[in-house]
Amino acid sequence: MANVKEIRTKIGSVQNTQKITSAMEMVAASKMRKAQDRMQSARPYADKMRNVISHMAFAHSEYNHPFLHKREVKRVGYIVVTSDGGLCGGLNINLFKASIASMREWEDKNIDIDVCAIGKKGIGFFTGLGGNVVSEVSQIGDKPGLSDLIGAVKVMLDAYNEGKIDRLYLVYNRFVNSLTQKPMVEALLPLPEHKDPDEGLVKHWDYIYEPDAKSVLDGVFMRYIESLVYQGVVENIACEQSARMVAMKAATDNADDLINELQLIYNKVRQASITQEISEIVGGAAALSS
Amino acid sequence: MAMTTHIDIVSAETEIFSGSTTMIFAPAEMGEVGIAPRHAPMVTRLKPGEVRVETENGETQHIYVSGGILEVQPHLVTVLADTATRAADIDEAAALEAKERAEKAMQDKSVKIDYARAQAEFAEAAAQLKAIEALRKRAHR
């Protein structure tokens, strides 16, 4: 049986670990709140952008943008948003599962895949598995700016414009609430078709484009895709923090259980050694007196 | 009451301004434009510069944008402001950088995703989770 001192050091080390996990839990909780705020403040832009895009879909432009065409699929692009750090439960694994399931469908049709990885975990995963990672960004921190993402996204948009890829998907975790994150695979390109126009928008009209339709639409669509990716990244960060909070809470609780168990064993061992000592003394005394 | 139009100025990271206005001046790419209510539908790119919004009660708001998109509908004006300074060559440089990093990470790796290995890794993770679950149950007994 383990000796008393050994158990005592073990309890000590579990307690130290528990201190770390509970600190991480609290840090994640406060970061989650901030990340949620950022998620909210990014929403108006996405909403307004969606309005503008839906207006544009009904303007009868003489210029037909490639982002609106459905092409025959020969190659597919994925933008996969993951976290930089670990210790956040099954967050990234679930995301990879969803993205691999979607990629596999293309693979079965013999269609190759390009990946744009945002976040360290995704880069590690896809390079480790031998995926074709064409662009990457990592260490964007807790407060990502749109400017951090432009480069990586542009690689994919250029590939689409040049006809290297014919579909573009965005994979990220959607923030449902602080306990639930849902991995999402969303189609970015070609742009999905729009429903009925807003009321009051008369049909058969067109914008005045300055300087010309092509360059303006290029700019708008590029920003649209970027804002969707940005929204995905911000949401993923909120997910990461909440997943980490939950994981660390579980770890702290587990440490509690472990300490209780060890304490029980410790008491038993201590008791046993006392009993043994007494019986030795009694035995010794009995031997002397007889 | 003077005729007004609604204006929203937003950037990807936050909402900047929203309200009624009687007149808007914006630094469009082809020169500054003034937008009065009931302007014809128009979209244009913006240069870095100042958007001036004259509000209903006669105040003027000055908002700096580093570029973006201006959309005009007769009763609604939207400014999608950029947060980053953008230029074709800057974007290009960022794209190249992202590509290079990926290439570095990809060095001497094959181009096919090893689905079998992915599956195996998932199975392993799932098994680990199960084991943890089992341990937890035992601990609670």
Side-chain angles (χ1 to χ4, degrees):
Chain A
M1 200 168 233
N3 69 44
V4 183
K5 203 176 160 225
E6 223 172 87
I7 298 172
R8 210 185 303 148
T9 33
K10 200 155 214 177
I11 291 176
S13 84
V14 174
Q15 272 167 341
N16 284 339
T17 312
Q18 192 184 26
K19 269 181 215 156
I20 296 171
T21 56
S22 76
M24 278 184 83
E25 182 195 333
M26 285 186 269
V27 170
S30 87
K31 276 188 179 173
M32 182 185 78
R33 216 158 305 136
K34 278 183 207 147
Q36 258 174 292
D37 289 346
R38 257 191 296 282
M39 205 170 83
Q40 300 296 342
S41 61
R43 223 157 247 173
Y45 186 82
D47 289 344
K48 293 291 169 312
M49 185 60 106
R50 215 166 292 131
N51 283 346
V52 173
I53 294 277
S54 73
H55 291 165
M56 280 185 170
F58 287 96
H60 295 258
S61 171
E62 73 276 20
Y63 173 68
N64 229 333
H65 200 273
F67 283 5
L68 298 167
H69 284 301
K70 273 208 169 72
R71 296 194 295 235
E72 196 198 332
V73 182
K74 289 185 216 77
R75 205 176 171 92
V76 184
Y78 279 84
I79 298 178
V80 184
V81 185
T82 54
S83 69
D84 272 338
L87 294 179
C88 47
L91 185 77
N92 289 319
I93 291 287
N94 287 337
L95 189 81
F96 292 143
K97 238 185 218 173
S99 53
I100 288 286
S102 158
M103 285 174 186
R104 192 135 208 193
E105 279 170 32
W106 292 113
E107 184 74 13
D108 288 344
K109 293 180 207 154
N110 258 333
I111 288 164
D112 285 333
I113 286 157
D114 286 339
V115 176
C116 162
I118 300 176
K120 256 193 192 156
K121 291 284 160 185
I123 298 159
F125 180 78
F126 285 108
T127 53
L129 287 175
N132 188 24
V133 181
V134 289
S135 70
E136 66 116 328
V137 226
S138 57
Q139 278 168 326
I140 40 180
D142 297 326
K143 300 186 206 88
L146 190 65
S147 48
D148 298 325
L149 307 170
I150 289 171
V153 176
K154 188 176 161 60
V155 173
M156 298 311 265
L157 293 184
D158 284 351
Y160 188 89
N161 278 332
E162 290 159 17
K164 279 190 206 149
I165 57 173
D166 308 297
R167 285 284 157 84
L168 184 59
Y169 289 93
L170 174 67
V171 189
Y172 68 102
N173 281 297
R174 170 160 292 167
F175 187 89
V176 183
N177 56 45
S178 45
L179 293 175
T180 322
Q181 302 90 32
K182 196 170 167 225
M184 300 290 291
V185 181
E186 270 178 13
L188 288 183
L189 291 176
L191 293 169
E193 276 164 38
H194 286 278
K195 286 157 237 129
D196 298 326
D198 298 1
E199 278 173 50
L201 274 184
V202 197
K203 285 177 187 176
H204 289 293
W205 54 276
D206 196 5
Y207 282 110
I208 304 166
Y209 295 97
E210 255 181 52
D212 59 282
K214 184 181 180 306
S215 64
V216 171
L217 288 180
D218 270 348
V220 173
F221 287 140
M222 194 174 72
R223 283 173 177 79
Y224 177 58
I225 301 295
E226 281 167 3
S227 82
L228 287 179
V229 175
Y230 177 76
Q231 183 79 26
V233 169
V234 175
E235 214 155 306
N236 199 68
I237 287 171
C239 287
E240 180 193 345
Q241 298 302 348
S242 67
R244 179 164 298 133
M245 188 182 80
V246 172
M248 288 302 119
K249 172 134 185 45
T252 311
D253 293 348
N254 281 347
D256 256 336
D257 291 346
L258 209 57
I259 289 170
N260 281 341
E261 243 169 86
L262 285 171
Q263 193 70 50
L264 215 62
I265 298 171
Y266 173 78
N267 290 345
K268 267 188 202 157
V269 171
R270 198 179 66 102
Q271 197 67 56
S273 74
I274 291 170
T275 312
Q276 197 187 349
E277 254 172 60
I278 290 175
S279 70
E280 269 166 18
I281 292 168
V282 170
L288 281 180
S289 67
S290 66
Chain B
M1 203 183 90
M3 222 177 357
T4 58
T5 180
H6 188 80
I7 180 166
D8 288 307
I9 303 181
V10 289
S11 78
E13 281 147 36
T14 181
E15 185 165 21
I16 298 170
F17 180 82
S18 174
S20 307
T21 163
T22 49
M23 191 75 185
I24 302 151
F25 299 95
E29 211 173 44
M30 315 248 313
E32 194 177 65
V33 289
I35 312 282
R38 292 203 186 163
H39 193 282
M42 179 177 96
V43 263
T44 180
R45 284 193 303 207
L46 296 180
K47 285 188 301 195
E50 183 189 55
V51 176
R52 291 203 307 283
V53 180
E54 284 175 12
T55 56
E56 261 175 307
N57 44 25
E59 287 168 31
T60 307
Q61 294 271 348
H62 299 260
I63 294 149
Y64 177 80
V65 293
S66 55
I69 302 281
L70 171 76
E71 192 228 10
V72 182
Q73 292 281 346
H75 295 288
L76 175 72
V77 176
T78 312
V79 178
L80 302 163
D82 288 338
T83 41
T85 318
R86 319 209 31 163
D89 47 337
I90 295 179
D91 284 9
E92 196 62 49
L96 273 179
E97 213 176 288
K99 246 186 207 167
E100 262 166 33
R101 276 200 307 264
E103 270 159 26
K104 221 180 260 169
M106 283 279 296
Q107 257 162 19
D108 41 72
K109 298 277 183 202
S110 65
V111 199
K112 283 262 174 188
I113 295 180
D114 192 341
Y115 288 96
R117 230 180 88 198
Q119 218 90 48
E121 271 177 30
F122 286 148
E124 206 182 299
Q128 276 173 1
L129 275 178
K130 231 180 234 167
I132 290 166
E133 205 81 336
L135 271 176
R136 202 177 287 168
K137 261 187 209 144
R138 221 183 51 198
H140 279 297
R141 249 204 317 247

